[in-house]
């Protein structure tokens, strides 16, 4: 559904058949996926990434990530929440069609909790206005995102299959780049990610 005439709107509101209207024109990016393939998305989602909806339908989500490694590494990030029927959220760096990187907040709900990514719906909010992107390496982006989920350096090391020492080096570089002394300060410098998700370990 693209532009809707006034007469068409009147008809939709009279019939209360508003689900497609709400999905298409919601002011936040919405996308329905099947095994990490985009089956449908709304106008805001397509515009955020610089594509048309037709461009994105039946494309893998991998085209929206800065690297194939990040697409693969984030695959099981929210499995435990989604398997329990809880909504999942995180904040991560994604990539527009023109190659620009930007921070966004991702929230998800799985229709298939036993296989969380088989069929799911996601909302994506562009955080560019409050969190401008700073040049980071892929590993720094991954470490930053996992710190934002409240993981300790030891947990991040297990998740990324790195040594604890390597994670601490990346964490130290992040702190130095942003001129702060701890993880809480790091997130404050980029726009608060939400206190409950942040640890200093």
């Amino acid at each position: 559904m693209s532009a809707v005439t006034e007469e068409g709107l009147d008809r939709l509101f009279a019939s209360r058949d508003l689900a497609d209207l709400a999905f298409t024109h919601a002011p936040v990016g919405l996308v329905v996926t099947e095994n990490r393939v985009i089956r449908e998305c709304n106008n805001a989602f397509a515009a955020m990434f610089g594509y048309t909806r037709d461009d994105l339908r039946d494309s893998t989500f991998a085209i929206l990530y800065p690297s194939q490694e990040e697409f693969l590494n984030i695959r099981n990030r929210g499995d435990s929440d989604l398997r329990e029927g809880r909504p999942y959220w995180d904040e991560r760096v994604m990539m527009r069609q023109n190659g620009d990187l930007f921070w966004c907040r991702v929230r998800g709900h799985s229709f298939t909790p036993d296989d969380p990514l088989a069929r799911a719906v996601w909302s994506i909010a562009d955080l560019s206005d409050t969190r401008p992107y700073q040049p980071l390496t892929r590993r720094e982006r991954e470490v930053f995102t996992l710190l934002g989920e409240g993981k300790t350096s030891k947990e991040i090391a297990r998740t990324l299959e790195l040594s604890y020492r390597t994670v601490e080096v990346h964490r130290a570089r992040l702190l130095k780049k942003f001129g702060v002394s701890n993880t809480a300060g790091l997130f404050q410098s980029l726009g608060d990610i939400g206190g409950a998700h942040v640890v200093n370990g």
Side-chain angles (χ1 to χ4, degrees), residues 135-154:
L136 302 173
T137 67
R138 173 175 66 88
R139 282 300 193 199
E140 287 169 346
R141 289 193 296 267
E142 291 175 331
V143 169
F144 180 94
T145 299
L146 290 165
L147 286 169
E149 291 181 24
K151 294 193 184 299
T152 65
S153 292
K154 287 181 181 178

Side-chain angles (χ1 to χ4, degrees), residues 77-127:
R77 189 72 57 79
D79 270 10
S80 57
D81 285 329
L82 294 171
R83 285 182 189 280
E84 296 296 322
R86 296 188 301 268
Y88 170 75
W89 77 272
D90 68 36
E91 296 185 358
R92 62 183 73 167
V93 173
M94 298 190 81
M95 184 176 70
R96 304 189 206 277
Q97 185 183 33
N98 66 6
D100 287 350
L101 303 184
F102 70 105
W103 283 102
C104 59
R105 178 174 294 122
V106 177
R107 298 178 189 272
H109 168 78
S110 176
F111 300 112
T112 52
D114 289 342
D115 185 5
L117 298 181
R119 290 181 173 164
V121 60
W122 307 88
S123 72
I124 314 278
D126 187 340
L127 301 180

Side-chain angles (χ1 to χ4, degrees), residues 65-74 93 138 141-142:
Y65 281 87
S67 69
Q68 182 68 18
E69 291 83 2
E70 284 163 282
F71 172 68
L72 295 173
N73 287 345
I74 207 164
V93 173
R138 173 175 66 88
R141 289 193 296 267
E142 291 175 331

Side-chain angles (χ1 to χ4, degrees), residues 16-36:
R16 301 181 71 87
D17 183 16
L18 302 172
D20 187 51
L21 184 73
F23 176 84
T24 300
H25 298 284
V28 65
L30 299 173
V31 58
V32 179
T33 59
E34 184 176 32
N35 296 313
R36 306 186 84 191

